[in-house]
Amino acid sequence: MALSGRAKKMAVFSVLVVAILIISSIPFLFPESSVKAGGEGGEDNRISPLENQGLILEVKRIRDRGLLDRLMSYGSSWKYQPQFYFIADMDDLEYVSKNISALGMSSEILFTGWDTIFQENKVMKDVEEEKEKSKVTLTIVERVPKGLLGRGFEDVERERIRLTYDYRTGRWTGDDCFKDNDGYGHYVGEYFEVWFDLYQTDYDG
């Protein structure tokens, strides 16, 4: 016997209601299927689920703190502009700012002057996935004259900044830390003052 139009609509409606009830009951019947990867209770605890994990050290500015002392002392030593460079070590990956390679040739370019403002440098490192912390060391090295009439030179380590970066919090601790006296990402040493930032890659690029 053929169903009337009204009966057909009621039958379709009943099927839809049953289907909705079945679908909505799945999380209760199979609770483990609603848990996301890497966490419990529906929480995803992965550090970098949507991108390759990496760390970036940005050296924004380095300032020699000795200019005022030179100006206050007798003579013309203030005319000598310091030469220096930095070494970044990120989980044993070393980058030396003075070493320049291009077209199969190598050379050295040091910072010359009292301040490197507007000469930012970025050092990037790929990190194994789900790594929780990284060790970072930033060393400032000054090239100073030596020998008879200062014709020779030697490289002298002036500052060493040791940091530990936490990928879960996005913050670092160590010789510079959050809420310290000279500001986060600002290190004041005996010879040099350094402004820097340390951050991880994110999904937005």
Side-chain angles (χ1 to χ4, degrees):
M1 181 177 65
L3 296 175
S4 65
R6 180 180 178 83
K8 288 182 179 179
K9 291 181 180 180
M10 290 298 296
V12 172
F13 178 75
S14 299
V15 171
L16 289 175
V17 170
V18 172
I20 292 172
L21 290 174
I22 293 174
I23 293 173
S24 62
S25 65
I26 288 177
F28 300 97
L29 296 174
F30 307 99
E32 66 277 4
S33 65
S34 64
V35 178
K36 296 181 181 179
E40 296 181 356
E43 181 182 355
D44 191 341
N45 289 324
R46 291 176 296 173
I47 294 174
S48 56
L50 298 176
E51 72 279 340
N52 293 326
Q53 195 167 332
L55 187 62
I56 301 170
L57 170 63
E58 184 176 355
V59 182
K60 298 180 177 180
R61 180 183 176 188
I62 305 173
R63 186 178 73 86
D64 190 308
R65 302 186 66 208
L67 178 58
L68 182 60
D69 292 338
R70 298 275 186 92
L71 291 174
M72 297 295 290
S73 63
Y74 179 78
S76 59
S77 62
W78 60 271
K79 293 182 179 180
Y80 167 75
Q81 295 194 38
Q83 291 186 309
F84 54 92
Y85 59 94
F86 71 84
I87 302 172
D89 187 294
M90 305 168 70
D91 288 334
D92 298 324
L93 172 69
E94 185 177 84
Y95 170 81
V96 183
S97 67
K98 69 179 177 64
N99 295 341
I100 306 298
S101 298
L103 301 176
M105 302 178 63
S106 299
S107 61
E108 288 188 348
I109 299 179
L110 284 76
F111 296 112
T112 301
W114 297 99
D115 200 323
T116 68
I117 191 169
F118 305 127
Q119 300 181 63
E120 297 87 354
N121 284 258
K122 287 185 179 181
V123 184
M124 305 178 66
K125 183 186 188 308
D126 289 330
V127 180
E128 57 265 31
E129 300 305 307
E130 301 308 306
K131 185 179 180 69
E132 294 189 358
K133 294 183 179 181
S134 281
K135 298 289 186 181
V136 178
T137 302
L138 178 60
T139 305
I140 310 300
V141 181
E142 184 176 6
R143 179 161 292 180
V144 298
K146 63 173 292 188
L148 184 64
L149 301 178
R151 292 181 178 178
F153 65 86
E154 64 177 336
D155 291 350
V156 179
E157 180 181 313
R158 294 301 195 191
E159 310 289 352
R160 178 170 290 195
I161 308 169
R162 298 178 179 88
L163 307 167
T164 300
Y165 184 83
D166 190 317
Y167 289 95
R168 291 196 181 277
T169 64
R171 291 181 177 178
W172 62 83
T173 56
D175 293 331
D176 178 78
C177 58
F178 188 62
K179 292 185 178 180
D180 63 5
N181 293 331
D182 49 17
Y184 199 44
H186 180 208
Y187 175 85
V188 180
E190 182 179 357
Y191 296 93
F192 287 89
E193 188 173 5
V194 184
W195 287 262
F196 68 93
D197 198 3
L198 191 60
Y199 52 93
Q200 64 204 69
T201 54
D202 58 34
Y203 184 66
D204 294 330

